[in-house]
Amino acid sequence: MPAPSAPPILDFSSFYAGDSDAKSKLIEEVRKCCHYNGFFQITGHRVAADLQRRVMECSRRFFDLPLEEKLQIDKNRNTFNRGYELLRSQMLEVGTGPELKEGLYIGEEIPEDHPYYLEKKLNSGPNQWPQTVSDKDEFQKTTMEYYHAVFELAKDVLGVLAQTLGVESTFFDPLTDGAVATMRYLHYPAQPEDTDEKLNRGIGAHTDFGCITLLLQDEVDGLQVLDAPTGQWLDVKPVPGAYVVNLGNLFMRMANDKYKSNTHRVINKSGRERYSIPFFFSGNPDYICECLPNCREEGESPKYGPITVQDMVTASYKESYGRAESYKQGMKSPKPELLPTLPTVAAASA
Ligand code: OGA
Ligand code: NI
């Protein structure tokens, strides 16, 4: 068995350039990663470095606000998953404590007369903007500019994923048209030196819910991915400007478990504050997830029945937040609710 190594760093620019050999090589490398653990990093994408820098600056500016001001946009005040999430709100890993991270959830701006809002589609509603952050207009503008840029990148990554399956790069257009995606500004405070590594997590071991996640990290490490064959945790070192791409449970299910949605976690032992911005691409809520082409052998039947993006992601949310709530109420971890045949037993996040 080859020694485990961190997810490879792939140059995505060949997706845009004309060199068909380089493009085929990229597709082949992505395919290998999908089979192995569903994680890779990409450089050479089209999200401008300056925009990444500005968005990280927005994130810091938000988290620097006094707690009372952040709580004015508490995400518990709405049902569509937008706004501020306090430290210790989530608990993804059974047996560990509530997580040492705070977040701001952002998505496409969905006004209250939009069909998605009226039909209570996944995470659909108006963003909850901080009113007291300095340069408020620039904050909103930069945040949405970044959101749209990463949305485009997610579509391109899905184009490559389609090609790894031997179908046209446009295959996922019905999934990406009208897609729901959620971005989070995350802040992991420095954990004290002597914190019990077994119990304290920035984010507990989990898999992501949706189709794909694109993560921008600052320069502070802490993200680790589980190497299933050896049981070792591998560091996913920050590479300036790169995105960590990983497949979520929805994609694994559609790929009939041939592609992996892998377990990962964050422990911020750096002694420094850490900021990251994951972008969770779920897909069009009404898209019916079914076994993808070329994901089963001759005569093999699909492992999972059809399910909508909406139903799959909603079920995952219920489970992970239920666990944090019961912990806070001093109860034992409940048995995970019966999820619609999730491909993995690990908890999930989006
Ligand atoms: C997540 C996640 C990693 C990070 O939010 O699901 O895995 O580095 N985040 O913040
Ligand atoms: Ni994650």
Side-chain angles (χ1 to χ4, degrees), residues 53-203:
R53 188 190 53 71
R54 285 187 285 128
V55 82
M56 276 291 178
E57 209 277 314
C58 283
S59 171
R60 280 169 222 262
R61 221 152 83 214
F62 172 71
F63 290 116
D64 279 349
L65 291 175
L67 182 60
E68 318 81 78
E69 292 178 22
K70 291 184 275 196
L71 282 171
Q72 282 167 7
I73 52 164
D74 187 343
K75 95 186 227 310
N76 291 326
R77 292 189 189 183
N78 63 69
T79 52
F80 39 87
N81 211 23
R82 303 289 172 99
Y84 176 65
E85 182 174 72
L86 194 61
L87 271 179
R88 301 188 173 82
S89 299
Q90 230 182 351
M91 210 174 84
L92 293 166
E93 185 178 343
V94 176
T96 62
E99 297 171 353
L100 298 174
K101 66 165 181 352
E102 55 179 342
L104 178 64
Y105 286 65
I106 298 143
E108 185 57 88
E109 201 62 79
I110 306 281
E112 292 182 3
D113 58 358
H114 190 287
Y116 276 15
Y117 182 83
L118 298 170
E119 292 161 23
K120 296 193 166 44
K121 294 292 189 213
L122 192 62
N123 298 341
S124 296
N127 281 313
Q128 306 296 300
W129 296 111
Q131 296 304 309
T132 53
V133 73
S134 61
D135 251 332
K136 182 169 115 202
D137 292 346
E138 186 272 334
F139 181 91
Q140 292 185 21
K141 200 167 151 281
T142 302
T143 301
M144 292 316 294
E145 184 186 343
Y146 180 80
Y147 178 90
H148 292 129
V150 183
F151 195 102
E152 288 307 308
L153 177 58
K155 289 203 281 190
D156 293 343
V157 171
L158 281 161
V160 170
L161 288 173
Q163 287 174 289
T164 67
L165 295 164
V167 293
E168 289 292 312
S169 62
T170 52
F171 179 86
F172 287 116
D173 285 1
L175 173 74
T176 60
D177 287 348
V180 165
T182 300
M183 169 170 123
R184 294 208 269 189
Y185 285 160
L186 287 180
H187 171 220
Y188 300 88
Q191 291 182 212
E193 285 277 329
D194 59 352
T195 46
D196 185 346
E197 202 183 303
K198 284 209 184 63
L199 293 176
N200 284 298
R201 297 280 182 269
I203 186 165

Side-chain angles (χ1 to χ4, degrees), residues 260-272:
K260 304 292 181 236
S261 163
N262 203 25
T263 305
H264 54 286
R265 68 182 186 185
V266 172
I267 304 178
N268 181 14
K269 287 185 289 186
S270 62
R272 297 164 64 191

Side-chain angles (χ1 to χ4, degrees), residues 175-250:
L175 173 74
T176 60
D177 287 348
V180 165
T182 300
M183 169 170 123
R184 294 208 269 189
Y185 285 160
L186 287 180
H187 171 220
Y188 300 88
Q191 291 182 212
E193 285 277 329
D194 59 352
T195 46
D196 185 346
E197 202 183 303
K198 284 209 184 63
L199 293 176
N200 284 298
R201 297 280 182 269
I203 186 165
H206 69 282
T207 55
D208 292 349
F209 301 160
C211 273
I212 54 170
T213 305
L214 279 75
L215 173 82
L216 181 65
Q217 317 188 66
D218 71 357
E219 67 288 352
V220 180
D221 56 13
L223 175 63
Q224 297 182 314
V225 53
L226 183 66
D227 186 66
T230 59
Q232 279 181 39
W233 287 98
L234 307 175
D235 292 326
V236 185
K237 290 262 183 239
V239 173
Y243 284 90
V244 179
V245 181
N246 66 284
L247 304 181
N249 296 346
L250 202 55

